[in-house]
Amino acid sequence: MKRIITYGTFDLLHYGHINLLRRAKECGDYLIVALSTDEFNKLKGKKSFFDYNKRKILLEAIRYVDLVIEENSWDQKRDDVKLYKIDTLVMGDDWKGKFDNLKDIVEVKYLPRTPEVSTTQIKNELKNK
Ligand code: C2G
């Protein structure tokens, strides 16, 4: 049972997120998503459209996702890897290199982002309609 983890806000869920989650699941057998809480989003300088509970409901409905946990801080990843016995940490390649410090305890994979879609772009386009 290969266990995978990924982290993110996943606001205004779109096909870029789904592409990432599908490929992350394809790396193993069990996928955990550590979902940024509203409080942690503030630290990230993000204000999500949907609050944590709504974003959690959406993620839990995705066939690739086996468990959703809270992401409350930048530095919980090492503990998460140990606690959940993670084999691979997967992120989009906008994060390339950022989590290489964890390579002593887990495989780290950066997958190509899906081009032309982002939550920010969706918000901006809707604003200009
Ligand atoms: N993503 C993607 N393609 C897109 C948009 C997003 O592959 N077009 C990926 C991102 O690279 C990330 C995941 O989808 O791996 C979630 O994206 P965000 O919700 O924007 O996550 P982010 O704010 O980058 O949070 O500790 C890590 C952070 O919590 C990551």
Side-chain angles (χ1 to χ4, degrees):
M1 161 84 87
K2 227 181 139 194
R3 301 164 64 83
I4 315 293
I5 197 165
T6 191
Y7 293 77
T9 297
F10 294 97
D11 192 28
L12 296 182
L13 198 64
H14 55 67
Y15 61 93
H17 295 136
I18 300 300
N19 282 342
L20 188 282
L21 294 169
R22 186 189 69 255
R23 287 174 295 160
K25 183 59 174 280
E26 286 166 357
C27 294
D29 310 286
Y30 189 85
L31 173 61
I32 298 176
V33 178
L35 181 61
S36 308
T37 59
D38 299 330
E39 297 71 23
F40 182 51
N41 272 335
K42 281 195 195 102
L43 289 181
K44 287 166 60 172
K46 282 191 164 187
K47 168 110 183 60
S48 63
F49 182 82
F50 289 127
D51 68 20
Y52 176 81
N53 290 327
K54 294 184 180 76
R55 289 181 285 121
K56 184 169 188 273
I57 288 168
L58 286 162
L59 280 178
E60 287 176 336
I62 299 169
R63 72 170 76 160
Y64 310 120
V65 176
D66 296 289
L67 175 68
V68 178
I69 63 171
E70 288 187 0
E71 180 185 29
N72 295 294
S73 73
W74 290 114
D75 49 22
Q76 71 181 67
K77 296 181 176 70
R78 188 167 285 272
D79 292 342
D80 291 346
V81 165
K82 290 176 188 159
L83 179 64
Y84 294 98
K85 299 179 176 38
I86 301 299
D87 299 286
T88 306
L89 185 151
V90 173
M91 291 299 294
D93 62 3
D94 47 317
W95 291 92
K96 191 159 184 55
K98 297 288 189 309
F99 305 122
D100 289 358
N101 62 304
L102 297 168
K103 284 188 168 178
D104 58 320
I105 59 164
V106 71
E107 181 188 18
V108 180
K109 272 189 180 167
Y110 302 103
L111 303 176
R113 272 176 74 93
T114 301
E116 286 123 39
V117 64
S118 72
T119 303
T120 309
Q121 178 240 6
I122 294 168
K123 284 180 180 174
N124 291 341
E125 284 203 26
L126 287 173
K127 229 181 276 169
N128 302 333
K129 280 238 181 279

